[in-house]
Amino acid sequence: MSKRESAKYKIDRRMGENIWGRPKSPVNRREYGPGQHGQRRKGKLSDFGVQLRAKQKLKNFYGDISEKQFRKTYAEAARRRGDTGENLVGLLESRLDSVVYRAKFVPTIFAARQFVNHGHINVNGHRTNIQSYRCKPGDVIEVREKSKKFVIVLEAIVSVERDVPDYIEADHGKMIATYTRVPQLSDVPYAVQMEPHLVVEFYSR
């Protein structure tokens, strides 16, 4: 199962931050951007530039989400009552691939998207291969029986690289997780600071 290491590490270099908090990130060694001009002093970003970077960082964190899909998620967040930034984070964390990643069934969000797409996950007892499937509080997510012995899964659940957040109850012995509630921004264990209010400003221009 391909992890596409180079793609996600290019994202880290481009953002200048270790977005997923992984020890192998090249940003841990070189904080400047890629390419021959990467070490030049960075100019001060405009307000638009700051908002764009915040949007790119949040969107890139969730893997291969397209701009169209991300904007659609934002539009739904804006329609809902309450703070749009908080709603956006809640919708992104409710995605099936996000829940699989947060439950530590796989090591990366990229692997989670592929794991779901290849049909290795059941939701409430039914095989589900749609990465953007929106989980609801109380949904039970389970690694299918034939997939429980995959090396990628066994390595992920024993990894000390990150913890399972408290809005997901995970039983790694049975490879089952329950999505207990929609999280607030403060509940989500991002490795770097995310600024969804800037994403709202970006799309509100």
Side-chain angles (χ1 to χ4, degrees):
M1 186 175 294
S2 171
K3 297 182 189 177
R4 304 190 316 120
E5 301 283 350
S6 61
K8 70 171 175 288
Y9 289 152
K10 283 181 181 178
I11 292 172
D12 269 358
R13 291 289 305 282
R14 190 162 60 245
M15 294 291 103
E17 295 184 75
N18 186 355
I19 295 177
W20 299 279
R22 304 214 75 201
K24 292 183 179 181
S25 173
V27 176
N28 296 340
R29 301 187 300 275
R30 299 184 297 274
E31 293 186 357
Y32 51 86
Q36 61 178 328
H37 304 300
Q39 295 187 59
R40 289 185 176 180
R41 175 178 286 184
K42 296 178 181 178
K44 185 178 180 180
L45 290 174
S46 65
D47 289 345
F48 175 80
V50 171
Q51 294 162 2
L52 176 62
R53 181 168 289 272
K55 188 266 291 186
Q56 289 173 328
K57 186 165 61 172
L58 185 62
K59 183 167 78 75
N60 286 334
F61 179 88
Y62 291 95
D64 292 331
I65 298 180
S66 67
E67 174 61 25
K68 181 179 180 181
Q69 195 171 27
F70 188 78
R71 190 178 186 108
K72 183 178 179 182
T73 303
Y74 167 79
E76 179 167 349
R79 284 196 301 270
R80 294 190 172 197
R81 297 178 63 181
D83 183 270
T84 300
E86 292 279 358
N87 291 343
L88 176 60
V89 169
L91 288 171
L92 291 169
E93 285 293 311
S94 298
R95 289 172 57 95
L96 179 56
D97 53 3
S98 297
V99 175
V100 170
Y101 169 65
R102 295 297 188 193
K104 286 182 64 177
F105 291 150
V106 290
T108 70
I109 188 66
F110 295 92
R113 291 175 65 79
Q114 194 171 46
F115 200 66
V116 173
N117 187 53
H118 288 183
H120 299 297
I121 292 293
N122 285 341
V123 178
N124 298 329
H126 300 285
R127 182 179 181 180
T128 306
N129 62 359
I130 301 171
Q131 302 127 321
S132 60
Y133 174 88
R134 186 161 302 141
C135 296
K136 299 177 290 295
D139 280 354
V140 177
I141 293 86
E142 180 181 12
V143 178
R144 300 189 76 204
E145 192 63 38
K146 67 175 185 178
S147 310
K148 291 181 178 180
K149 294 185 178 180
F150 283 5
V151 172
I152 192 174
V153 175
L154 297 176
E155 288 180 348
I157 63 175
V158 298
S159 171
V160 296
E161 194 173 298
R162 56 192 172 88
D163 297 321
V164 178
D166 62 7
Y167 49 90
I168 293 175
E169 294 178 356
D171 183 337
H172 288 144
K174 297 180 179 179
M175 304 272 189
I176 293 176
T178 303
Y179 183 62
T180 59
R181 61 183 174 84
V182 179
Q184 298 292 309
L185 174 61
S186 59
D187 299 323
V188 182
Y190 291 119
V192 297
Q193 183 181 7
M194 294 295 181
E195 299 164 301
H197 67 282
L198 292 178
V199 181
V200 176
E201 291 176 11
F202 175 84
Y203 283 121
S204 300
R205 293 178 71 89

